[in-house]
Amino acid sequence: MFAKSLLLSLLTVSVANAHFTLRYPEPLGKSAAKQDQGPCGGYTIDANTAVTEFHVDGDAVAYSSSHPEVKVLFRIIEGSSPDGANSYKGYPIVEQYGSGDFCEPTVTAPKSLVGKQGIVQVVQNAVDGMLYACAFVKFVNGVNSNLPDTCKNGTGVDADFVEDASLEALFGTSSTPSSSETTSAPSATNTPNSSSLKSFSMVAGVVGIAFAIIGGL
Ligand SMILES: *[C@@H]1O[C@H](CO)[C@@H](O)[C@H](O)[C@H]1NC(C)=O
Ligand SMILES: *[C@@H]1O[C@H](CO)[C@@H](O)[C@H](O)[C@H]1NC(C)=O
Ligand SMILES: [Cu+2]
């Protein structure tokens, strides 16, 4: 019993710190330590940043999520500034259920961006607030017919289309200083009962993982 509760508290800590890891396109950085800081989770683009080709008629955005319930925006930003004025929804906002690997293989960008550089930004509205990750890309023609191995959905991971005012608000407010985004707290955006529902589903997910691990020992 002691071992179980110890494992459970360790898992709770690691889940609270992990948030999500962008796997494709290549992220600006892999640490989630500052993932609550917009626009790119504490990372900026520099001379060493990897550039991934992104196919405007359909390409993959893949991540691994520690949260069993998040709302997700896949945002396409023109140019190398994440606060750039021209940005687009690469896919309708989804609510993703189940923790683990998630990949949306048909994210698109406007054809007018072909040949230009840009940013693929993933923003999650999660139980612990807004979370950000970015990838630096060069837009190319067509559909990616050679999807990466990281483009897969974990067992029990699924998604539905959803509306989300907080994610929607990221459009048309590109002049908002990013410092205001970093101060957002979960309590500010969630009504008490919806946030307790989300906490419950997060705890349920953690317990599920713990029992899956205990079962495997
Ligand atoms: C993962 O699930 C989502 C939601 O059902 C779906 O749109 C997407 O195509 C799936 N990804 C893969 C790689 O099958
Ligand atoms: C949650 O709160 C809203 C408004 O505060 C209320 O209308 C709704 O009935 C509540 N739902 C539950 C499950 O308590
Ligand atoms: Cu988190």
Side-chain angles (χ1 to χ4, degrees):
M1 207 56 213
F2 172 73
K4 278 188 189 179
S5 52
L6 180 65
L7 183 56
L8 197 57
S9 46
L10 286 175
L11 277 168
T12 307
V13 168
S14 72
V15 166
N17 290 335
H19 303 308
F20 77 100
T21 306
L22 182 61
R23 299 218 193 278
Y24 193 89
E26 185 68 23
L28 301 190
K30 292 191 167 75
S31 166
K34 297 183 181 172
Q35 205 159 45
D36 58 342
Q37 296 181 12
C40 288
Y43 289 101
T44 52
I45 292 170
D46 63 32
N48 298 319
T49 301
V51 187
T52 308
E53 287 192 345
F54 194 87
H55 296 72
V56 295
D57 292 335
D59 212 328
V61 177
Y63 63 77
S64 174
S65 178
S66 67
H67 291 295
E69 189 273 312
V70 288
K71 291 177 181 134
V72 190
L73 168 67
F74 301 99
R75 187 185 188 195
I76 306 293
I77 302 169
E78 182 175 348
S80 55
S81 164
D83 296 316
N86 297 327
S87 71
Y88 312 88
K89 225 179 261 178
Y91 199 74
I93 293 171
V94 298
E95 183 164 19
Q96 171 236 308
Y97 305 95
S99 55
D101 292 319
F102 182 72
C103 176
E104 183 39 67
T106 56
V107 176
T108 60
K111 283 187 201 297
S112 58
L113 297 185
V114 170
K116 296 181 177 173
Q117 290 181 324
I119 293 166
V120 174
Q121 181 196 42
V122 179
V123 188
Q124 295 190 344
N125 188 357
V127 66
D128 45 8
M130 299 283 266
L131 304 169
Y132 305 83
C134 296
F136 192 33
V137 299
K138 183 180 179 192
F139 297 104
V140 296
N141 261 315
V143 173
N144 188 352
S145 54
N146 187 22
L147 292 175
D149 294 342
T150 45
C151 186
K152 59 191 176 198
N153 285 343
T155 309
V157 179
D158 205 353
D160 281 328
F161 297 132
V162 74
E163 298 194 350
D164 187 274
S166 307
L167 293 172
E168 209 69 58
L170 295 172
F171 293 96
T173 56
S174 56
S175 57
T176 305
S178 57
S179 59
S180 71
E181 294 175 44
T182 65
T183 55
S184 68
S187 56
T189 52
N190 294 325
T191 58
N193 60 11
S194 80
S195 80
S196 52
L197 269 178
K198 283 180 183 176
S199 308
F200 172 75
S201 72
M202 184 171 169
V203 169
V206 169
V207 171
I209 293 165
F211 280 106
I213 290 174
I214 291 163
L217 287 179

